[in-house]
Amino acid sequence: MQRRKAGTYCIFGIFLCICVHLTAQMPVKHFQKDTFDSLKYAAFETNKKIPGEIRPQALIALSHYPELRETKIIFRLRKRKTPLASRPQVWSVFKKRKNRTYIITISTRSSEALTPILFSKLPYNAQIGVLGHELGHTRYYSSKNTLQLIGLPFKLLKSKNTDAFEFNTDRISIEHGLGYQLYAWSSYVREVLNISEWRGASEDLLAEEGPAIDQRYMNPETITRYMDSYPIYENN
């Protein structure tokens, strides 16, 4: 009888995990700031440090990455040129994957050119989208071993590698059900900066950068095309 109960609980636990995983990835077109239910997202706050002013957006984004539920992540607000950045904590690189800590830095102040796209200036869904992008980086880092993480900065010295790295991170966000929010972010950035392609925080890149094949971050049309290829967006 004891074994039967244990087996039942085990099956139920597996079923619950599957349900949570599937639910977490279901896309939502528009999240409403005034309808955020903290209890609904409480499970995704485990091992996370999140400033109160970005807690709803961060938890919604985290809920689309159930594989990061136990991962230690620090969200912090700092004065930085780059609007957002994600990286492993320095000494964490040398730890086992399950013991690492990751840092997502959100800029509170930047150059005049980038001020319009600071996190605080973004629409609510765009904020969720850009946090989802940074969590895509975290997911990538968490899948790599120490040598791969040490070698990554050198690999990204080549522009084409950085392009592929960021483009693939956008794809990860879409796979995780945050396509609409990524679209909101991509559209807003291009509109307020009056550019067709966004290639990062460097001011010398705030200009037209050629054909779509050279995208570093997906433009809205590309996001839509990728969303159309994933079944989770079919009924949305």
mmCIF file of all heavy atoms in Angstrom, residues 116-144:
data_model
loop_
_atom_site.group_PDB
_atom_site.id
_atom_site.type_symbol
_atom_site.label_atom_id
_atom_site.label_comp_id
_atom_site.label_asym_id
_atom_site.label_seq_id
_atom_site.Cartn_x
_atom_site.Cartn_y
_atom_site.Cartn_z
ATOM 1 N N PRO A 116 15.828 57.030 -24.415
ATOM 2 C CA PRO A 116 14.445 56.669 -24.769
ATOM 3 C C PRO A 116 14.131 55.189 -24.647
ATOM 4 O O PRO A 116 12.947 54.818 -24.590
ATOM 5 C CB PRO A 116 14.330 57.130 -26.225
ATOM 6 C CG PRO A 116 15.362 58.194 -26.376
ATOM 7 C CD PRO A 116 16.503 57.753 -25.514
ATOM 8 N N ILE A 117 15.164 54.317 -24.626
ATOM 9 C CA ILE A 117 14.878 52.883 -24.553
ATOM 10 C C ILE A 117 15.343 52.272 -23.234
ATOM 11 O O ILE A 117 15.491 51.059 -23.127
ATOM 12 C CB ILE A 117 15.483 52.109 -25.743
ATOM 13 C CG1 ILE A 117 17.012 52.234 -25.768
ATOM 14 C CG2 ILE A 117 14.876 52.582 -27.053
ATOM 15 C CD1 ILE A 117 17.662 51.280 -26.759
ATOM 16 N N LEU A 118 15.583 53.119 -22.230
ATOM 17 C CA LEU A 118 15.834 52.571 -20.900
ATOM 18 C C LEU A 118 14.615 51.783 -20.445
ATOM 19 O O LEU A 118 13.479 52.061 -20.855
ATOM 20 C CB LEU A 118 16.124 53.696 -19.910
ATOM 21 C CG LEU A 118 17.475 54.398 -20.027
ATOM 22 C CD1 LEU A 118 17.561 55.538 -19.022
ATOM 23 C CD2 LEU A 118 18.617 53.415 -19.819
ATOM 24 N N PHE A 119 14.826 50.824 -19.581
ATOM 25 C CA PHE A 119 13.744 49.943 -19.136
ATOM 26 C C PHE A 119 12.542 50.726 -18.624
ATOM 27 O O PHE A 119 11.392 50.401 -18.930
ATOM 28 C CB PHE A 119 14.273 49.005 -18.051
ATOM 29 C CG PHE A 119 13.293 47.959 -17.627
ATOM 30 C CD1 PHE A 119 13.170 46.770 -18.334
ATOM 31 C CD2 PHE A 119 12.495 48.148 -16.503
ATOM 32 C CE1 PHE A 119 12.257 45.795 -17.947
ATOM 33 C CE2 PHE A 119 11.592 47.176 -16.106
ATOM 34 C CZ PHE A 119 11.466 46.005 -16.826
ATOM 35 N N SER A 120 12.803 51.766 -17.852
ATOM 36 C CA SER A 120 11.716 52.545 -17.253
ATOM 37 C C SER A 120 10.870 53.278 -18.287
ATOM 38 O O SER A 120 9.736 53.678 -18.009
ATOM 39 C CB SER A 120 12.280 53.560 -16.255
ATOM 40 O OG SER A 120 13.145 54.468 -16.904
ATOM 41 N N LYS A 121 11.413 53.454 -19.500
ATOM 42 C CA LYS A 121 10.687 54.165 -20.560
ATOM 43 C C LYS A 121 9.835 53.224 -21.412
ATOM 44 O O LYS A 121 8.999 53.686 -22.185
ATOM 45 C CB LYS A 121 11.683 54.873 -21.483
ATOM 46 C CG LYS A 121 12.654 55.812 -20.781
ATOM 47 C CD LYS A 121 11.982 57.085 -20.321
ATOM 48 C CE LYS A 121 13.004 58.069 -19.765
ATOM 49 N NZ LYS A 121 12.370 59.312 -19.288
ATOM 50 N N LEU A 122 10.054 51.938 -21.285
ATOM 51 C CA LEU A 122 9.384 50.977 -22.142
ATOM 52 C C LEU A 122 7.938 50.740 -21.714
ATOM 53 O O LEU A 122 7.630 50.778 -20.523
ATOM 54 C CB LEU A 122 10.125 49.633 -22.125
ATOM 55 C CG LEU A 122 11.583 49.603 -22.551
ATOM 56 C CD1 LEU A 122 12.143 48.194 -22.381
ATOM 57 C CD2 LEU A 122 11.753 50.075 -23.980
ATOM 58 N N PRO A 123 7.053 50.416 -22.661
ATOM 59 C CA PRO A 123 5.713 49.960 -22.307
ATOM 60 C C PRO A 123 5.801 48.660 -21.513
ATOM 61 O O PRO A 123 6.799 47.925 -21.604
ATOM 62 C CB PRO A 123 5.045 49.735 -23.674
ATOM 63 C CG PRO A 123 5.832 50.556 -24.630
ATOM 64 C CD PRO A 123 7.239 50.549 -24.110
ATOM 65 N N TYR A 124 4.773 48.361 -20.764
ATOM 66 C CA TYR A 124 4.769 47.216 -19.845
ATOM 67 C C TYR A 124 5.114 45.900 -20.545
ATOM 68 O O TYR A 124 5.981 45.149 -20.084
ATOM 69 C CB TYR A 124 3.390 47.113 -19.195
ATOM 70 C CG TYR A 124 3.290 46.127 -18.060
ATOM 71 C CD1 TYR A 124 3.988 46.328 -16.870
ATOM 72 C CD2 TYR A 124 2.475 45.007 -18.165
ATOM 73 C CE1 TYR A 124 3.876 45.435 -15.813
ATOM 74 C CE2 TYR A 124 2.346 44.116 -17.116
ATOM 75 C CZ TYR A 124 3.046 44.331 -15.936
ATOM 76 O OH TYR A 124 2.923 43.437 -14.893
ATOM 77 N N ASN A 125 4.467 45.609 -21.657
ATOM 78 C CA ASN A 125 4.736 44.351 -22.349
ATOM 79 C C ASN A 125 6.121 44.311 -22.977
ATOM 80 O O ASN A 125 6.744 43.252 -23.066
ATOM 81 C CB ASN A 125 3.651 44.072 -23.395
ATOM 82 C CG ASN A 125 2.423 43.443 -22.782
ATOM 83 O OD1 ASN A 125 2.272 42.225 -22.759
ATOM 84 N ND2 ASN A 125 1.525 44.270 -22.260
ATOM 85 N N ALA A 126 6.614 45.462 -23.407
ATOM 86 C CA ALA A 126 7.979 45.524 -23.927
ATOM 87 C C ALA A 126 8.989 45.254 -22.815
ATOM 88 O O ALA A 126 10.036 44.638 -23.044
ATOM 89 C CB ALA A 126 8.238 46.884 -24.556
ATOM 90 N N GLN A 127 8.695 45.697 -21.596
ATOM 91 C CA GLN A 127 9.561 45.407 -20.450
ATOM 92 C C GLN A 127 9.637 43.901 -20.208
ATOM 93 O O GLN A 127 10.713 43.351 -19.967
ATOM 94 C CB GLN A 127 9.036 46.110 -19.199
ATOM 95 C CG GLN A 127 9.175 47.620 -19.236
ATOM 96 C CD GLN A 127 8.577 48.287 -18.013
ATOM 97 O OE1 GLN A 127 7.688 47.742 -17.352
ATOM 98 N NE2 GLN A 127 9.055 49.486 -17.690
ATOM 99 N N ILE A 128 8.505 43.242 -20.276
ATOM 100 C CA ILE A 128 8.482 41.786 -20.114
ATOM 101 C C ILE A 128 9.267 41.120 -21.232
ATOM 102 O O ILE A 128 10.031 40.175 -21.012
ATOM 103 C CB ILE A 128 7.028 41.277 -20.092
ATOM 104 C CG1 ILE A 128 6.290 41.845 -18.881
ATOM 105 C CG2 ILE A 128 6.987 39.746 -20.074
ATOM 106 C CD1 ILE A 128 4.786 41.626 -18.910
ATOM 107 N N GLY A 129 9.114 41.644 -22.447
ATOM 108 C CA GLY A 129 9.807 41.066 -23.593
ATOM 109 C C GLY A 129 11.312 41.158 -23.497
ATOM 110 O O GLY A 129 12.027 40.193 -23.781
ATOM 111 N N VAL A 130 11.819 42.320 -23.069
ATOM 112 C CA VAL A 130 13.270 42.473 -22.997
ATOM 113 C C VAL A 130 13.855 41.674 -21.833
ATOM 114 O O VAL A 130 14.965 41.145 -21.919
ATOM 115 C CB VAL A 130 13.668 43.970 -22.936
ATOM 116 C CG1 VAL A 130 13.378 44.574 -21.573
ATOM 117 C CG2 VAL A 130 15.136 44.154 -23.315
ATOM 118 N N LEU A 131 13.088 41.535 -20.742
ATOM 119 C CA LEU A 131 13.533 40.660 -19.657
ATOM 120 C C LEU A 131 13.535 39.200 -20.115
ATOM 121 O O LEU A 131 14.414 38.417 -19.740
ATOM 122 C CB LEU A 131 12.639 40.826 -18.434
ATOM 123 C CG LEU A 131 12.806 42.128 -17.648
ATOM 124 C CD1 LEU A 131 11.787 42.204 -16.513
ATOM 125 C CD2 LEU A 131 14.225 42.258 -17.081
ATOM 126 N N GLY A 132 12.554 38.844 -20.936
ATOM 127 C CA GLY A 132 12.532 37.499 -21.501
ATOM 128 C C GLY A 132 13.744 37.228 -22.363
ATOM 129 O O GLY A 132 14.294 36.115 -22.362
ATOM 130 N N HIS A 133 14.181 38.250 -23.100
ATOM 131 C CA HIS A 133 15.401 38.115 -23.904
ATOM 132 C C HIS A 133 16.608 37.869 -23.006
ATOM 133 O O HIS A 133 17.427 36.973 -23.278
ATOM 134 C CB HIS A 133 15.609 39.381 -24.737
ATOM 135 C CG HIS A 133 16.904 39.407 -25.489
ATOM 136 N ND1 HIS A 133 17.035 38.925 -26.775
ATOM 137 C CD2 HIS A 133 18.140 39.839 -25.125
ATOM 138 C CE1 HIS A 133 18.290 39.065 -27.164
ATOM 139 N NE2 HIS A 133 18.985 39.633 -26.192
ATOM 140 N N GLU A 134 16.724 38.637 -21.926
ATOM 141 C CA GLU A 134 17.864 38.459 -21.018
ATOM 142 C C GLU A 134 17.824 37.096 -20.340
ATOM 143 O O GLU A 134 18.863 36.469 -20.116
ATOM 144 C CB GLU A 134 17.882 39.573 -19.975
ATOM 145 C CG GLU A 134 18.103 40.964 -20.545
ATOM 146 C CD GLU A 134 19.346 41.070 -21.425
ATOM 147 O OE1 GLU A 134 20.384 40.478 -21.062
ATOM 148 O OE2 GLU A 134 19.273 41.726 -22.477
ATOM 149 N N LEU A 135 16.641 36.616 -20.026
ATOM 150 C CA LEU A 135 16.522 35.279 -19.445
ATOM 151 C C LEU A 135 16.880 34.201 -20.471
ATOM 152 O O LEU A 135 17.331 33.117 -20.105
ATOM 153 C CB LEU A 135 15.109 35.058 -18.913
ATOM 154 C CG LEU A 135 14.774 35.827 -17.633
ATOM 155 C CD1 LEU A 135 13.280 35.742 -17.335
ATOM 156 C CD2 LEU A 135 15.593 35.295 -16.450
ATOM 157 N N GLY A 136 16.698 34.517 -21.745
ATOM 158 C CA GLY A 136 17.161 33.615 -22.793
ATOM 159 C C GLY A 136 18.673 33.455 -22.736
ATOM 160 O O GLY A 136 19.209 32.353 -22.934
ATOM 161 N N HIS A 137 19.372 34.563 -22.454
ATOM 162 C CA HIS A 137 20.823 34.481 -22.248
ATOM 163 C C HIS A 137 21.142 33.595 -21.046
ATOM 164 O O HIS A 137 22.039 32.752 -21.100
ATOM 165 C CB HIS A 137 21.403 35.880 -22.009
ATOM 166 C CG HIS A 137 21.517 36.715 -23.226
ATOM 167 N ND1 HIS A 137 22.059 36.270 -24.412
ATOM 168 C CD2 HIS A 137 21.169 38.017 -23.456
ATOM 169 C CE1 HIS A 137 22.043 37.227 -25.311
ATOM 170 N NE2 HIS A 137 21.497 38.307 -24.753
ATOM 171 N N THR A 138 20.411 33.819 -19.955
ATOM 172 C CA THR A 138 20.656 33.035 -18.748
ATOM 173 C C THR A 138 20.461 31.554 -19.016
ATOM 174 O O THR A 138 21.254 30.716 -18.566
ATOM 175 C CB THR A 138 19.706 33.486 -17.615
ATOM 176 O OG1 THR A 138 19.903 34.881 -17.369
ATOM 177 C CG2 THR A 138 19.969 32.710 -16.336
ATOM 178 N N ARG A 139 19.418 31.217 -19.732
ATOM 179 C CA ARG A 139 19.175 29.813 -20.075
ATOM 180 C C ARG A 139 20.339 29.251 -20.876
ATOM 181 O O ARG A 139 20.780 28.117 -20.666
ATOM 182 C CB ARG A 139 17.880 29.693 -20.873
ATOM 183 C CG ARG A 139 17.544 28.256 -21.282
ATOM 184 C CD ARG A 139 16.365 28.243 -22.228
ATOM 185 N NE ARG A 139 16.063 26.908 -22.693
ATOM 186 C CZ ARG A 139 16.694 26.295 -23.680
ATOM 187 N NH1 ARG A 139 17.708 26.897 -24.309
ATOM 188 N NH2 ARG A 139 16.342 25.070 -24.064
ATOM 189 N N TYR A 140 20.846 30.042 -21.817
ATOM 190 C CA TYR A 140 21.985 29.601 -22.627
ATOM 191 C C TYR A 140 23.209 29.368 -21.752
ATOM 192 O O TYR A 140 23.861 28.328 -21.837
ATOM 193 C CB TYR A 140 22.276 30.651 -23.697
ATOM 194 C CG TYR A 140 23.497 30.362 -24.534
ATOM 195 C CD1 TYR A 140 23.424 29.551 -25.654
ATOM 196 C CD2 TYR A 140 24.748 30.903 -24.194
ATOM 197 C CE1 TYR A 140 24.541 29.278 -26.430
ATOM 198 C CE2 TYR A 140 25.869 30.636 -24.956
ATOM 199 C CZ TYR A 140 25.765 29.826 -26.063
ATOM 200 O OH TYR A 140 26.882 29.552 -26.818
ATOM 201 N N TYR A 141 23.516 30.337 -20.879
ATOM 202 C CA TYR A 141 24.680 30.201 -20.007
ATOM 203 C C TYR A 141 24.566 28.961 -19.121
ATOM 204 O O TYR A 141 25.559 28.260 -18.878
ATOM 205 C CB TYR A 141 24.819 31.426 -19.094
ATOM 206 C CG TYR A 141 25.010 32.749 -19.794
ATOM 207 C CD1 TYR A 141 24.435 33.910 -19.275
ATOM 208 C CD2 TYR A 141 25.747 32.852 -20.972
ATOM 209 C CE1 TYR A 141 24.589 35.137 -19.907
ATOM 210 C CE2 TYR A 141 25.900 34.071 -21.604
ATOM 211 C CZ TYR A 141 25.317 35.215 -21.066
ATOM 212 O OH TYR A 141 25.476 36.426 -21.704
ATOM 213 N N SER A 142 23.367 28.706 -18.638
ATOM 214 C CA SER A 142 23.174 27.598 -17.700
ATOM 215 C C SER A 142 23.368 26.232 -18.354
ATOM 216 O O SER A 142 23.516 25.226 -17.666
ATOM 217 C CB SER A 142 21.783 27.675 -17.067
ATOM 218 O OG SER A 142 20.767 27.450 -18.023
ATOM 219 N N SER A 143 23.371 26.209 -19.683
ATOM 220 C CA SER A 143 23.555 24.947 -20.401
ATOM 221 C C SER A 143 25.019 24.688 -20.767
ATOM 222 O O SER A 143 25.336 23.636 -21.321
ATOM 223 C CB SER A 143 22.705 24.941 -21.680
ATOM 224 O OG SER A 143 23.222 25.856 -22.635
ATOM 225 N N LYS A 144 25.899 25.636 -20.449
ATOM 226 C CA LYS A 144 27.296 25.536 -20.868
ATOM 227 C C LYS A 144 28.207 25.165 -19.710
ATOM 228 O O LYS A 144 27.948 25.499 -18.552
ATOM 229 C CB LYS A 144 27.755 26.868 -21.481
ATOM 230 C CG LYS A 144 26.926 27.312 -22.684
ATOM 231 C CD LYS A 144 26.905 26.260 -23.778
ATOM 232 C CE LYS A 144 26.001 26.660 -24.929
ATOM 233 N NZ LYS A 144 25.882 25.592 -25.952
#
